[in-house]
Each structure stands twice: as structure tokens, then as C-alpha cells.
Amino acid sequence: MRIDILSLFPEIIKSSLEHSIIKKALKKDLISIKYHNIREYSKNKQKKVDDYQYGGGSGMVLMIQPIYDCIKILKEDREYSNIIYLTPDGEKLNQSSSNKFSLSKNIILICGHYKGVDHRIREHLVTHEISIGDYVLSGGELAAAIFCDSIIRLIPGVLGNESSALTDSFQDNRLSEPIYTRPENYKGLKVPKILISGNNKDIERWRDKKSLERTKKYRPDLL
Ligand code: ADE
């Protein structure tokens, strides 16, 4: 998979995606991420990328030209089935949409900043608008990093143990069961006996029950 990210502050995203699992995926060439500073595509002498809103109103708006040109250049070399604008008023990202996006070959992510982007970008260039939650961030950069992390870990070969993505919370519309590791008894706080019983069938049944209990308690909307 190749991900091209258009942003005024690519460093914010880059620094979030240079560690742990994503770092390994990059090293193994399972993905490549290219960063494009929108400012570098500005045809303005001062490299201006934003302007005031037509009709008045506070906040600067990112202009169409640099983003249009950057996408045009990228599209000359390959096809992009998903051109995604990160925005709080987009469709909310969830595990099911992350699964779908993780199957993409090439993705473009557009990060807005200030008041957002000229609406013509959203109307004519973008295929999806994605939000990471009902709150407003200063820009789309952190949302882009979260989007990338959530889809990259689902790409086959990225996680050491393939099944660990399948047992994540939300993967089957359920929260995951409680997990424990050594020591068995920490200052009197004990690991549930069943997990050290060695009876795999009973353990599976227990995990299923606990997962259902936690979902009912914390996220009944999922059921
Ligand atoms: N940009 C600003 N806030 C955002 C959000 N909640 N989701 C996606 N992009 C954003």
C-alpha cells in the first residue's frame, strides 16, 4: 500500500508514524508513506496557501490551487481509489471502515488546517470525508496519523501474530476480553484461575463470556 499525505505540517504526522509496528511495516516495505507539503505546490510568489472566506467570516481557508496541483501530479503516476479529506464533519471512522480502507492499493489523505479547505476540493476531488470523532482538532494531521495507524496494522504481515488483529476490540463488534500477564499474584491481586487451568476450551468460553459482559456494560450500542 502507498499512502500520500498532503499537509501544511507533515512533521506532525511523520513523527507519529516512525515507531513500533508502523516503523517495522515501513522497513519491510509493506507500506510506503509519502509526505507532501502543500506550501511547496503554491504558485503564489510568497507561497501563500490560504485566504479569507468569500462572504466574510473568521478563519482562513486553504486554497484549491496547491491541493489540486499536488493531486494532479500524483494521479499522473498511479491511480487512487481513495482520496480522503480528514474533517470533523466527515463519516466517523470505525473498525469496519478501517478494514475496508486497509485493502486499498493507493490512498491520498488531505489534511485541512485553519478553518478548512475550499469546498470545491471536497465536492470535486475527494472520494471520502472521514472524521475520527465528534471533536475539533487544530488540523487534520493527528486524524491522518490515527487513520494510517488503524489501517496499516490490518495489512497482512504487519502484525507479527496475524491473529492479534482479529482479536482486537471492535473487530467483531465486541470489546475484547480482559487480558493478564505474569506474575500470577501481584500483592494479592490474582489472575483469574481459569486462565492458568490449561483447559483451552474453558478458557475460550470464559473469554467469550467476558467479552460479551464488557460489551453489554460499556458499549451496549454495539450489540
Ligand atoms: N480535523 C479536525 N478535527 C478532526 C476530526 N475530529 N476528525 C478528522 N479530521 C479533523
Side-chain angles (χ1 to χ4, degrees), residues 186-212:
Y186 182 72
K187 297 181 195 284
L189 303 174
K190 292 183 187 147
V191 167
K193 268 209 183 87
I194 181 87
L195 295 177
I196 32 187
S197 67
N199 186 332
N200 290 340
K201 264 203 176 139
D202 284 355
I203 291 174
E204 236 9 86
R205 229 173 282 136
W206 180 87
R207 284 184 168 151
D208 195 51
K209 184 172 149 243
K210 288 290 170 190
S211 154
L212 191 58

Short mmCIF file of all heavy atoms in Angstrom, two decimals, residues 186-212:
data_model
loop_
_atom_site.label_atom_id
_atom_site.label_comp_id
_atom_site.label_asym_id
_atom_site.label_seq_id
_atom_site.Cartn_x
_atom_site.Cartn_y
_atom_site.Cartn_z
N TYR A 186 0.02 -10.56 42.17
CA TYR A 186 0.79 -9.35 42.45
C TYR A 186 0.18 -8.66 43.67
O TYR A 186 -0.93 -8.14 43.59
CB TYR A 186 0.79 -8.40 41.25
CG TYR A 186 1.61 -7.16 41.48
CD1 TYR A 186 3.00 -7.22 41.53
CD2 TYR A 186 1.01 -5.93 41.70
CE1 TYR A 186 3.77 -6.11 41.78
CE2 TYR A 186 1.76 -4.79 41.95
CZ TYR A 186 3.14 -4.88 41.99
OH TYR A 186 3.90 -3.77 42.24
N LYS A 187 0.92 -8.72 44.79
CA LYS A 187 0.47 -8.12 46.06
C LYS A 187 -0.96 -8.53 46.39
O LYS A 187 -1.79 -7.70 46.77
CB LYS A 187 0.58 -6.60 46.00
CG LYS A 187 2.00 -6.06 45.82
CD LYS A 187 1.97 -4.54 45.81
CE LYS A 187 3.23 -3.90 45.30
NZ LYS A 187 4.37 -3.89 46.19
N GLY A 188 -1.29 -9.79 46.13
CA GLY A 188 -2.63 -10.28 46.44
C GLY A 188 -3.63 -10.13 45.31
O GLY A 188 -4.76 -10.63 45.38
N LEU A 189 -3.26 -9.39 44.25
CA LEU A 189 -4.15 -9.24 43.09
C LEU A 189 -3.90 -10.41 42.15
O LEU A 189 -2.80 -10.54 41.60
CB LEU A 189 -3.88 -7.91 42.36
CG LEU A 189 -4.02 -6.65 43.20
CD1 LEU A 189 -3.58 -5.42 42.42
CD2 LEU A 189 -5.46 -6.49 43.67
N LYS A 190 -4.94 -11.27 42.00
CA LYS A 190 -4.71 -12.54 41.31
C LYS A 190 -5.30 -12.57 39.90
O LYS A 190 -6.34 -11.94 39.64
CB LYS A 190 -5.31 -13.68 42.12
CG LYS A 190 -4.56 -13.89 43.42
CD LYS A 190 -5.11 -15.07 44.20
CE LYS A 190 -4.43 -15.10 45.57
NZ LYS A 190 -5.31 -15.59 46.60
N VAL A 191 -4.65 -13.32 39.04
CA VAL A 191 -5.14 -13.57 37.69
C VAL A 191 -6.29 -14.59 37.80
O VAL A 191 -6.20 -15.50 38.62
CB VAL A 191 -3.97 -14.15 36.83
CG1 VAL A 191 -4.47 -14.72 35.52
CG2 VAL A 191 -2.90 -13.10 36.62
N PRO A 192 -7.39 -14.42 37.03
CA PRO A 192 -8.47 -15.42 37.11
C PRO A 192 -7.94 -16.84 36.91
O PRO A 192 -7.16 -17.10 35.99
CB PRO A 192 -9.40 -15.01 35.95
CG PRO A 192 -9.14 -13.56 35.76
CD PRO A 192 -7.69 -13.34 36.09
N LYS A 193 -8.38 -17.73 37.81
CA LYS A 193 -7.85 -19.12 37.86
C LYS A 193 -7.99 -19.83 36.52
O LYS A 193 -7.11 -20.57 36.10
CB LYS A 193 -8.63 -19.91 38.93
CG LYS A 193 -7.97 -19.87 40.27
CD LYS A 193 -8.31 -21.18 41.04
CE LYS A 193 -7.73 -21.15 42.42
NZ LYS A 193 -8.60 -20.52 43.42
N ILE A 194 -9.11 -19.60 35.86
CA ILE A 194 -9.41 -20.31 34.62
C ILE A 194 -8.27 -20.16 33.59
O ILE A 194 -7.97 -21.09 32.85
CB ILE A 194 -10.76 -19.79 34.01
CG1 ILE A 194 -11.14 -20.52 32.72
CG2 ILE A 194 -10.74 -18.32 33.72
CD1 ILE A 194 -11.89 -21.75 32.98
N LEU A 195 -7.61 -18.98 33.60
CA LEU A 195 -6.57 -18.72 32.59
C LEU A 195 -5.31 -19.54 32.81
O LEU A 195 -4.48 -19.66 31.91
CB LEU A 195 -6.24 -17.22 32.55
CG LEU A 195 -7.36 -16.30 32.09
CD1 LEU A 195 -6.95 -14.83 32.18
CD2 LEU A 195 -7.78 -16.63 30.66
N ILE A 196 -5.16 -20.08 34.04
CA ILE A 196 -3.98 -20.91 34.28
C ILE A 196 -4.36 -22.38 34.44
O ILE A 196 -3.57 -23.21 34.87
CB ILE A 196 -3.18 -20.40 35.51
CG1 ILE A 196 -4.11 -19.78 36.54
CG2 ILE A 196 -2.13 -19.40 35.09
CD1 ILE A 196 -3.42 -19.11 37.68
N SER A 197 -5.60 -22.68 34.01
CA SER A 197 -6.10 -24.06 34.16
C SER A 197 -5.54 -24.98 33.07
O SER A 197 -5.50 -26.19 33.25
CB SER A 197 -7.63 -24.07 34.06
OG SER A 197 -8.01 -23.73 32.73
N GLY A 198 -5.12 -24.38 31.95
CA GLY A 198 -4.62 -25.20 30.84
C GLY A 198 -5.75 -25.78 30.01
O GLY A 198 -5.50 -26.45 29.00
N ASN A 199 -7.01 -25.54 30.38
CA ASN A 199 -8.15 -26.08 29.64
C ASN A 199 -8.58 -25.06 28.56
O ASN A 199 -9.31 -24.11 28.82
CB ASN A 199 -9.30 -26.35 30.62
CG ASN A 199 -10.46 -27.03 29.94
OD1 ASN A 199 -10.67 -26.86 28.74
ND2 ASN A 199 -11.21 -27.83 30.69
N ASN A 200 -8.08 -25.30 27.34
CA ASN A 200 -8.28 -24.30 26.28
C ASN A 200 -9.74 -24.04 25.94
O ASN A 200 -10.12 -22.91 25.65
CB ASN A 200 -7.51 -24.71 25.02
CG ASN A 200 -6.03 -24.57 25.24
OD1 ASN A 200 -5.61 -23.84 26.15
ND2 ASN A 200 -5.24 -25.28 24.46
N LYS A 201 -10.54 -25.09 25.99
CA LYS A 201 -11.97 -24.92 25.66
C LYS A 201 -12.66 -24.02 26.67
O LYS A 201 -13.41 -23.12 26.32
CB LYS A 201 -12.67 -26.30 25.61
CG LYS A 201 -12.75 -26.84 24.22
CD LYS A 201 -13.87 -27.84 24.10
CE LYS A 201 -13.97 -28.29 22.64
NZ LYS A 201 -14.21 -29.72 22.54
N ASP A 202 -12.38 -24.30 27.96
CA ASP A 202 -12.97 -23.49 29.02
C ASP A 202 -12.47 -22.04 28.94
O ASP A 202 -13.22 -21.09 29.17
CB ASP A 202 -12.63 -24.06 30.41
CG ASP A 202 -13.48 -25.29 30.72
OD1 ASP A 202 -14.37 -25.60 29.89
OD2 ASP A 202 -13.24 -25.94 31.76
N ILE A 203 -11.20 -21.90 28.61
CA ILE A 203 -10.62 -20.54 28.50
C ILE A 203 -11.34 -19.77 27.39
O ILE A 203 -11.73 -18.61 27.56
CB ILE A 203 -9.09 -20.60 28.25
CG1 ILE A 203 -8.39 -21.12 29.50
CG2 ILE A 203 -8.55 -19.23 27.86
CD1 ILE A 203 -6.89 -21.37 29.34
N GLU A 204 -11.52 -20.42 26.25
CA GLU A 204 -12.22 -19.80 25.12
C GLU A 204 -13.62 -19.36 25.52
O GLU A 204 -14.06 -18.26 25.20
CB GLU A 204 -12.28 -20.80 23.95
CG GLU A 204 -11.69 -20.36 22.62
CD GLU A 204 -10.92 -19.04 22.67
OE1 GLU A 204 -9.72 -19.03 23.00
OE2 GLU A 204 -11.55 -18.00 22.40
N ARG A 205 -14.33 -20.27 26.22
CA ARG A 205 -15.70 -19.97 26.66
C ARG A 205 -15.70 -18.78 27.62
O ARG A 205 -16.53 -17.90 27.54
CB ARG A 205 -16.30 -21.21 27.35
CG ARG A 205 -17.69 -21.54 26.80
CD ARG A 205 -18.22 -22.83 27.35
NE ARG A 205 -17.63 -23.99 26.69
CZ ARG A 205 -17.20 -25.08 27.32
NH1 ARG A 205 -17.27 -25.18 28.63
NH2 ARG A 205 -16.70 -26.09 26.64
N TRP A 206 -14.74 -18.77 28.54
CA TRP A 206 -14.62 -17.68 29.52
C TRP A 206 -14.36 -16.35 28.81
O TRP A 206 -14.98 -15.33 29.11
CB TRP A 206 -13.48 -18.00 30.50
CG TRP A 206 -13.26 -16.95 31.55
CD1 TRP A 206 -13.88 -16.86 32.75
CD2 TRP A 206 -12.35 -15.84 31.48
NE1 TRP A 206 -13.42 -15.76 33.45
CE2 TRP A 206 -12.49 -15.12 32.69
CE3 TRP A 206 -11.44 -15.38 30.53
CZ2 TRP A 206 -11.74 -13.98 32.96
CZ3 TRP A 206 -10.71 -14.24 30.79
CH2 TRP A 206 -10.85 -13.55 32.00
N ARG A 207 -13.46 -16.39 27.83
CA ARG A 207 -13.12 -15.16 27.10
C ARG A 207 -14.34 -14.61 26.37
O ARG A 207 -14.60 -13.40 26.38
CB ARG A 207 -12.00 -15.43 26.08
CG ARG A 207 -10.66 -15.55 26.76
CD ARG A 207 -9.53 -15.73 25.78
NE ARG A 207 -8.25 -15.56 26.45
CZ ARG A 207 -7.13 -16.15 26.09
NH1 ARG A 207 -7.13 -16.96 25.05
NH2 ARG A 207 -6.03 -15.92 26.76
N ASP A 208 -15.07 -15.52 25.76
CA ASP A 208 -16.27 -15.12 25.02
C ASP A 208 -17.29 -14.46 25.96
O ASP A 208 -17.86 -13.41 25.66
CB ASP A 208 -16.85 -16.37 24.35
CG ASP A 208 -17.85 -15.99 23.29
OD1 ASP A 208 -17.49 -15.16 22.43
OD2 ASP A 208 -18.99 -16.50 23.34
N LYS A 209 -17.47 -15.09 27.11
CA LYS A 209 -18.43 -14.59 28.11
C LYS A 209 -18.01 -13.20 28.60
O LYS A 209 -18.82 -12.28 28.67
CB LYS A 209 -18.48 -15.60 29.27
CG LYS A 209 -19.48 -15.28 30.34
CD LYS A 209 -19.59 -16.44 31.35
CE LYS A 209 -19.95 -15.89 32.71
NZ LYS A 209 -18.99 -16.09 33.75
N LYS A 210 -16.71 -13.05 28.91
CA LYS A 210 -16.22 -11.78 29.44
C LYS A 210 -16.31 -10.68 28.39
O LYS A 210 -16.63 -9.53 28.70
CB LYS A 210 -14.76 -11.93 29.91
CG LYS A 210 -14.63 -12.74 31.16
CD LYS A 210 -15.19 -11.95 32.34
CE LYS A 210 -15.31 -12.80 33.58
NZ LYS A 210 -16.05 -12.15 34.66
N SER A 211 -16.02 -11.05 27.16
CA SER A 211 -16.10 -10.07 26.08
C SER A 211 -17.54 -9.55 25.95
O SER A 211 -17.78 -8.35 25.83
CB SER A 211 -15.61 -10.73 24.79
OG SER A 211 -16.18 -10.13 23.67
N LEU A 212 -18.50 -10.48 26.01
CA LEU A 212 -19.90 -10.11 25.92
C LEU A 212 -20.32 -9.25 27.12
O LEU A 212 -20.98 -8.21 26.96
CB LEU A 212 -20.76 -11.38 25.84
CG LEU A 212 -22.22 -11.18 25.49
CD1 LEU A 212 -22.38 -10.49 24.16
CD2 LEU A 212 -22.94 -12.54 25.47
#
